[in-house]
Amino acid sequence: MKAIMKSEKIKTITTHYIDGAFVESHGREVMDIIKPTNGQLIGRVMLGDEEDTRRAIAAAKRAFASFGRTTKDERSRYLRQLHVAVSARIDDLTAAMVEEYGGVVQFARVIVESGVAAFPAAEKGLQELPMTQSWGKTTVALEPVGVAGLITAWNANTLFICLKLASAVGAGCTVVLKPSELSSLQTQVMIECVNAAKLPKGVCNIVIGRGDVVGAELVRNPDVDKISFTGSVGVGQGIMRDGAATMKRVTLELGGKSPTILLDDAALDQAIPAALVLAFMNSGQACAAGTRLLVPKSRLDEIKRRIREAMRAYTVGDPADPKTAIGPMVSQKQYERIQSYIRKGIEEGAEVLVGGEGHPKGLEAGYFVKPTVFVNVRNDMTIAQEEIFGPVLSVIAYDSEDEAIRIANDSKYGLHSAVLGTDIQRARRVASQLQAGRVVINNMTDDPQAPWGGFKYSGVGREYGKYGIEAFLEPKAILE
Ligand code: NAD
């Protein structure tokens, strides 16, 4: 890897957003922001510490006293204000995601637009949700849970911020957001959006900092009532364990090893491109990525040939170029992680159909990897069981529909899955037997009202629309 070079235009972030104002960081640790396409230093961020976090929690607690009592209509208005403010910065948020994360521009825009869509989706969900219900002498009211700590991952930071913030505000919670420290440029734009949205002071506080400092304080602090987390299983388990000390409510959006079942009646000219989109979206750095492709043995040779051909379209390179399909990985650490999995796949006897170890030719300066497809994969191999979080696809052959379903469910994860086939009734029947929070049929698609979240190790609870708002509410029964 080329040495990190000094750039002319270094961006510097030294403030957090607390109690409706930009506040200089009390924490003094400085982190470099590195451009993943070439390893250049492009910015520096002053990371918050426990004191910054406690100030933000105190502001959120003060604000909750009145914000927790707002009406549905008032909160709908705040959601609309957020929607207007974030919509105005779509280009800036996309540009920041391309620059600091290396997200390919087309997909980065889709991610940002999905984030923007979270606000009207929450407003619709809020309007549909009955906040009080009565029968006989009983009334049940849904009350906001209190101060929420929102912690996000780096692979779609803007989307996660918008999703969590929209649900929390819709429910009447006040928040302290701790975005991924690897997404500080995107976070800075989001802070400006929140400021422009003119929410009441203290409703949304944002502290940029490390997980084991700012995140840990949120999890530990008795004034935080709920944690909504997107990230890895290991950190999620720690949050559940440590949060128990103060009886935190938790929503955990964790990893995946999602299966795509290609049925034997699938039209391959549509099914193969769809399977590859599922596998390689967001350069493979996607929790929902369909990284296990289950194919009928009877059609294996044809499928291998078609994958090899279709992979020619998966060009790796400058994420700002609209023709690029796969950008760099986010960091050197992530680059090395993916290399180690590709090596492991080869050692365990899988066959490289496309790609392999090392940088693509001419892209040695950045964190670029070769999009890789393995065939001859058994489901008990490491590359079929563990989340790689990069552009690596394992093709697993099956003999029968029942075997395909069994392999699909033979995973500790259960976040997302896909079924590709011509007979829609059959595809639905297969979908109904998959253990996953979401199943898509015949293409990657999204619906901001449909719940998002995982079975098994993929998490606890749901986000999106009214399901996301419910996660920030507590039912209270009054009996006369
Ligand atoms: P990560 O778990 O390393 O970090 C996620 C966030 O947690 C970051 O903000 C980090 O600073 C913070 N954190 C780290 N240690 C902490 C601690 N001790 N206490 C509190 N917070 C702490 O995950 P990542 O590398 O940023 O993201 C990749 C992972 O996220 C993958 O496993 C991926 O599948 C998962 N993910 C899941 C979803 C989903 O919706 N289910 C979406 C995107 C990513």
Side-chain angles (χ1 to χ4, degrees):
M1 180 64 52
K2 211 158 73 176
I4 292 168
M5 300 189 307
K6 286 256 158 61
S7 151
E8 294 294 301
K9 284 185 271 166
I10 302 279
K11 297 174 181 130
T12 310
I13 300 169
T14 60
T15 53
H16 309 292
Y17 189 71
I18 300 175
D19 215 9
F22 292 84
V23 177
E24 283 298 320
S25 185
H26 178 269
R28 306 312 291 166
E29 183 182 345
V30 175
M31 197 184 93
D32 291 339
I33 304 172
I34 305 295
K35 188 168 174 157
T37 49
N38 57 13
Q40 274 195 352
L41 181 70
I42 52 170
R44 290 204 176 89
V45 55
M46 190 87 79
L47 300 176
D49 62 8
E50 289 85 351
E51 180 57 28
D52 294 302
T53 316
R54 285 193 283 266
R55 288 176 188 171
I57 295 169
K61 192 177 175 189
R62 282 192 302 275
F64 182 70
S66 55
F67 195 71
R69 295 171 168 274
T70 46
T71 62
K72 258 189 183 185
D73 286 345
E74 285 171 295
R75 297 202 294 278
S76 291
R77 185 160 52 79
Y78 292 130
L79 287 171
R80 285 198 290 278
Q81 288 171 207
L82 281 164
H83 182 236
V84 169
V86 182
S87 298
R89 304 294 300 275
I90 289 177
D91 287 347
D92 296 331
L93 287 162
T94 305
M97 188 169 171
V98 172
E99 187 179 21
E100 95 184 311
Y101 162 69
V104 291
V105 62
Q106 314 293 52
F107 195 78
R109 183 167 280 274
V110 170
I111 293 268
V112 171
E113 285 172 350
S114 305
V116 172
F119 297 106
E123 192 189 341
K124 186 165 186 285
L126 178 61
Q127 292 303 337
E128 284 169 5
L129 204 63
M131 300 303 266
T132 53
Q133 282 183 294
S134 299
W135 59 89
K137 293 183 174 179
T138 299
T139 300
V140 178
L142 298 178
E143 296 199 349
V145 73
V147 173
L150 313 180
I151 303 176
T152 69
W154 42 262
N155 64 316
N157 183 60
T158 298
L159 168 60
F160 305 140
I161 290 179
C162 292
L163 268 178
K164 292 180 191 302
L165 183 59
S167 299
V169 166
C173 288
T174 57
V175 312
V176 178
L177 245 157
K178 193 220 79 71
S180 171
E181 60 275 37
L182 293 175
S183 311
S184 302
L185 299 182
Q186 297 162 73
T187 297
Q188 185 60 24
V189 183
M190 276 305 298
I191 290 179
E192 290 163 15
C193 293
V194 168
N195 187 51
K198 299 203 179 329
L199 303 180
K201 268 171 42 174
V203 167
C204 177
N205 308 276
I206 305 181
V207 180
I208 301 177
R210 285 182 11 194
D212 57 354
V213 178
V214 177
E217 178 61 31
L218 287 173
V219 173
R220 189 166 51 224
N221 196 298
D223 287 336
V224 176
D225 302 284
K226 151 120 197 164
I227 297 286
S228 177
F229 169 80
T230 297
S232 59
V233 171
V235 173
Q237 287 172 319
I239 287 175
M240 211 168 179
R241 194 173 49 240
D242 298 345
T246 47
M247 208 52 84
K248 294 269 189 295
R249 280 77 181 117
V250 292
T251 298
L252 304 175
E253 296 291 348
L254 311 177
K257 191 73 197 175
S258 302
T260 298
I261 299 185
L262 190 150
L263 293 169
D264 58 12
D265 68 348
L268 294 186
D269 50 345
Q270 288 153 34
I272 295 295
L276 298 182
V277 165
L278 281 152
F280 295 114
M281 60 182 160
N282 208 7
S283 306
Q285 299 179 121
C287 51
T291 50
R292 291 184 298 147
L293 176 58
L294 314 189
V295 304
K297 233 175 236 165
S298 56
R299 301 186 73 181
L300 185 58
D301 288 342
E302 190 189 355
I303 288 168
K304 282 187 347 191
R305 183 175 55 74
R306 283 184 183 257
I307 291 177
R308 220 186 277 113
E309 277 168 20
M311 284 304 291
R312 293 205 194 105
Y314 279 80
T315 49
V316 186
D318 178 5
D321 181 345
K323 291 195 291 296
T324 299
I326 307 271
M329 302 296 96
V330 70
S331 63
Q332 176 68 15
K333 186 172 156 214
Q334 202 56 20
Y335 169 85
E336 280 159 12
R337 174 187 165 91
I338 287 140
Q339 295 305 315
S340 75
Y341 275 110
I342 296 175
R343 249 187 323 275
K344 189 85 180 159
I346 296 168
E347 280 163 20
E348 290 188 355
E351 180 195 328
V352 174
L353 182 73
V354 181
E357 282 184 78
H359 292 93
K361 211 159 175 289
L363 292 170
E364 291 77 9
Y367 310 133
F368 294 96
V369 306
K370 295 179 192 162
T372 296
V373 181
F374 278 108
V375 290
N376 288 348
V377 180
R378 286 190 328 270
N379 199 50
D380 62 355
M381 289 180 179
T382 309
I383 53 167
Q385 286 295 323
E386 293 186 13
E387 183 184 49
I388 299 173
F389 222 55
V392 181
L393 172 63
S394 293
V395 178
I396 303 169
Y398 66 81
D399 281 313
S400 65
E401 188 181 298
D402 283 349
E403 192 190 10
I405 294 166
R406 190 187 54 70
I407 295 172
N409 290 335
D410 178 18
S411 169
K412 71 176 187 174
Y413 294 109
L415 183 63
H416 201 269
S417 56
V419 184
L420 310 174
T422 303
D423 177 348
I424 192 74
Q425 296 303 340
R426 181 183 177 204
R428 285 183 189 145
R429 195 179 64 231
V430 172
S432 72
Q433 295 172 76
L434 297 179
Q435 297 163 353
R438 258 199 199 190
V439 188
V440 295
I441 294 181
N442 281 340
N443 235 326
M444 184 58 192
T445 183
D446 193 17
D447 174 356
Q449 302 296 333
W452 175 273
F455 283 26
K456 302 191 269 186
Y457 278 70
S458 289
V460 174
R462 294 293 181 269
E463 294 195 294
Y464 274 48
K466 78 176 168 70
Y467 301 90
I469 296 173
E470 275 171 343
F472 288 91
L473 292 168
E474 195 97 79
K476 180 164 99 186
I478 298 180
L479 290 77
E480 290 172 18

